[in-house]
Amino acid sequence: MTSLRRRLLLWLLPATFLAGVLASAGTYWGSLDELNDLLNDQMRVIARQAQVDDDGKLSLAGRDGKKHVSKGDEADRVLLQVWRGQAIQFTTDPASPLPAPLHPGFADIIADGQTWHTFVSQSGDTLIRVAQARQARWEALAAIAVHLFWPVLSLLPLLALFLWFGIGYGLRPLRQIASGLARRNASNMERIDTAALPGEVKPLVEALNDLLLRLDRSFTMQKHFIADAAHELRTPIMGLSIQAQLLLRASSAAERESIQTQIQTGTTRLAHLAEQLLTLARLAPETEGASVSIVDLSALARSVVTDRARIAEANQIDLGLVSTETVTVEGSGDNLRILLNNLVDNAIRYAGPRASVDVVVRRNGETAVLEVSDNGPGIPEADRSRVWERFYRSSAHTASGSGLGLSIVKRIAEQHRATVSLDAGPDSKGLTVRLCFYLPPSQQ
């Protein structure tokens, strides 16, 4: 399992270590010039304090004015020499291989494979040289670098410990959220309180609250759907059971034929109801959306009218298509076919014998319009707001139906971001179901 704490630690520790190294390096390079200037100043002071008497003895003047004689056999990291012409008069290191100085001032001399940093001051015909090996300077700088780097390295374990517990403390709200979510179930979709949460965690919790709200709605709709479906299926199943019992008790062929006809009708109705329920479940908001493509509404309407022509003829319905141009929209061809099939089937079922049903496809500015109109009894205005509900059937209609057709139409319209409305049919008779699809910019 990937640990967020371990991942943060693996990022923060190297970053902190690198920052400490960079800070040490910056301090080192910044102090390098200061140290060079300091050592150069020391060399000037030593050269100025050195004095040579007539006997060739070297003495150094202290702050108290007294002269301190340096023994010629003493060796130090700072080399002091006195030259007259090409002859050396005094040196603190007789084994040093430095040649005679040529002029006063600072200079770097390579002797016997070693670089010396020198300063020469002149007093009459006497040249006093102060020299220091470059290697000695670099050793001093290396010692400074170690002193700068060692605190960073030694504090790394302590820093890791603080980061480990600090990250754990910072991640405590996530553990509290996880504990709260573990107590949730289908019956408890209470929101998570965000008042005391850090600002960085609030977007995550708000997204979780939104998810909980959508799940609560989905579960509620599912419960209602199951309850309504069970109620609607109970009646036709009970009717089939009763008809089957009556068929066993039938005393004549005519009675048996009548009961068989009723069983066939009930079976057809039950199959239609089951198909509508499955379609509605497949179109639920939480289910995965269908693939989107360019759909020719005119061709789709022509195909649906052709398929429903025989059913319309059997019900003495004049079914026709009114389309003068090709109109295309973006959407799911399969779902739009289900939508139009339901509209046409409803119109055929409820319009009544010798009625006419027209399917209209047209363009209206920036929208594509799909209409299904009939001149039947229509739907009273008082019921038009409720017919979108599942299993609702208007009391004005005597034809049998599942009450799911318009619910399916509305669900598919919502998936296609289309508006759907109910109006009176031609000559203020019957019903017109109108859907308006917004055209993409390329088709406007």
Side-chain angles (χ1 to χ4, degrees):
M1 180 186 299
T2 302
S3 170
L4 185 58
R5 176 186 289 184
R6 188 177 296 109
R7 182 182 298 179
L8 290 173
L9 198 62
L10 291 177
W11 274 99
L12 291 175
L13 271 182
T16 306
F17 177 73
L18 181 60
V21 171
L22 292 177
S24 300
T27 305
Y28 169 74
W29 290 109
S31 62
L32 179 62
D33 292 338
E34 296 292 335
L35 183 59
N36 276 328
D37 293 340
L38 177 62
L39 293 177
N40 288 339
D41 290 341
Q42 290 178 347
M43 295 174 72
R44 289 192 190 98
V45 171
I46 294 174
R48 288 171 183 171
Q49 289 182 342
Q51 298 179 8
V52 180
D53 56 18
D54 295 337
D55 297 331
K57 292 182 178 180
L58 178 68
S59 61
L60 297 176
R63 291 181 180 177
D64 56 359
K66 297 180 181 181
K67 295 183 179 180
H68 305 276
V69 179
S70 173
K71 297 181 181 180
D73 58 352
E74 287 184 354
D76 201 355
R77 298 178 71 180
V78 176
L79 175 64
L80 181 62
Q81 293 179 335
V82 179
W83 293 79
R84 284 180 180 168
Q86 297 296 317
I88 186 169
Q89 302 296 316
F90 176 82
T91 179
T92 56
D93 186 6
S96 63
L98 297 180
L102 301 178
H103 53 77
F106 287 99
D108 289 336
I109 301 174
I110 299 177
D112 198 17
Q114 187 176 16
T115 301
W116 294 78
H117 186 64
T118 66
F119 176 77
V120 178
S121 65
Q122 186 173 7
S123 177
D125 61 345
T126 301
L127 296 176
I128 301 174
R129 170 192 279 162
V130 180
Q132 188 178 35
R134 279 286 187 187
Q135 183 65 28
R137 289 198 170 201
W138 284 112
E139 290 176 356
L141 294 175
I144 293 176
V146 170
H147 287 297
L148 291 174
F149 181 68
W150 176 248
V152 176
L153 189 62
S154 61
L155 288 176
L156 199 59
L158 184 61
L159 180 63
L161 189 63
F162 275 107
L163 286 176
W164 179 265
F165 288 102
I167 293 172
Y169 178 78
L171 295 178
R172 182 180 297 176
L174 295 180
R175 293 194 294 270
Q176 294 174 350
I177 294 171
S179 176
L181 290 175
R183 295 191 296 269
R184 301 295 195 279
N185 53 43
S187 301
N188 178 18
M189 291 293 174
E190 183 182 356
R191 295 177 72 258
I192 302 173
D193 186 17
T194 60
L197 293 178
E200 294 81 3
V201 183
K202 279 188 177 181
L204 172 63
V205 177
E206 289 173 354
L208 287 174
N209 284 335
D210 182 64
L211 176 61
L212 290 174
L213 178 61
R214 286 185 280 118
L215 286 175
D216 186 42
R217 291 175 179 172
S218 176
F219 287 142
T220 301
M221 291 177 60
Q222 188 179 44
K223 291 177 182 177
H224 292 168
F225 177 78
I226 293 174
D228 293 341
H231 175 74
E232 291 296 323
L233 288 172
R234 185 182 295 113
T235 300
I237 291 176
M238 185 177 296
L240 287 175
S241 176
I242 294 174
Q243 294 296 332
Q245 293 176 10
L246 292 176
L247 181 62
L248 296 176
R249 301 173 185 174
S251 58
S252 64
E255 186 179 359
R256 281 195 298 271
E257 184 177 354
S258 175
I259 295 174
Q260 288 174 354
T261 302
Q262 293 179 9
I263 291 176
Q264 181 64 38
T265 302
T267 303
T268 302
R269 181 186 175 190
L270 182 61
H272 177 71
L273 177 59
E275 182 181 356
Q276 294 286 70
L277 288 172
L278 291 175
T279 301
L280 195 60
R282 184 169 61 85
L283 296 173
E286 63 272 12
T287 57
E288 186 177 354
S291 58
V292 177
S293 61
I294 301 299
V295 181
D296 187 345
L297 280 183
S298 304
L300 178 64
R302 190 177 302 109
S303 174
V304 171
V305 169
T306 302
D307 292 342
R308 293 294 187 272
R310 290 187 178 181
I311 299 177
E313 184 178 354
N315 287 272
Q316 301 179 8
I317 298 293
D318 180 16
L319 177 62
L321 171 65
V322 180
S323 177
T324 58
E325 57 182 330
T326 300
V327 180
T328 59
V329 296
E330 289 184 355
S332 168
D334 294 337
N335 288 352
L336 289 177
R337 178 177 291 275
I338 293 173
L339 177 147
L340 191 52
N341 280 335
N342 275 278
L343 290 179
V344 174
D345 286 342
N346 279 356
I348 293 174
R349 180 178 292 110
Y350 297 114
R354 292 178 294 280
S356 62
V357 177
D358 292 326
V359 179
V360 181
V361 179
R362 58 187 172 87
R363 186 192 297 266
N364 182 18
E366 298 179 354
T367 61
V369 179
L370 174 64
E371 293 178 347
V372 177
S373 301
D374 66 75
N375 57 356
I379 299 177
E381 291 190 12
D383 290 343
R384 290 180 184 176
S385 60
R386 297 197 58 192
V387 294
W388 305 110
E389 300 175 9
R390 292 175 301 190
F391 305 110
Y392 179 80
R393 287 185 290 271
S394 174
S395 58
H397 292 152
T398 57
S400 62
S402 64
L404 294 174
L406 288 181
S407 297
I408 294 173
V409 169
K410 186 177 181 181
R411 184 69 53 79
I412 297 176
E414 291 173 349
Q415 289 181 351
H416 289 77
R417 299 181 181 87
T419 59
V420 57
S421 60
L422 299 178
D423 297 306
D427 300 328
S428 299
K429 295 180 181 180
L431 181 70
T432 296
V433 182
R434 181 179 298 107
L435 290 101
C436 297
F437 300 85
Y438 290 97
L439 295 173
S442 59
Q443 300 181 28
Q444 294 179 5

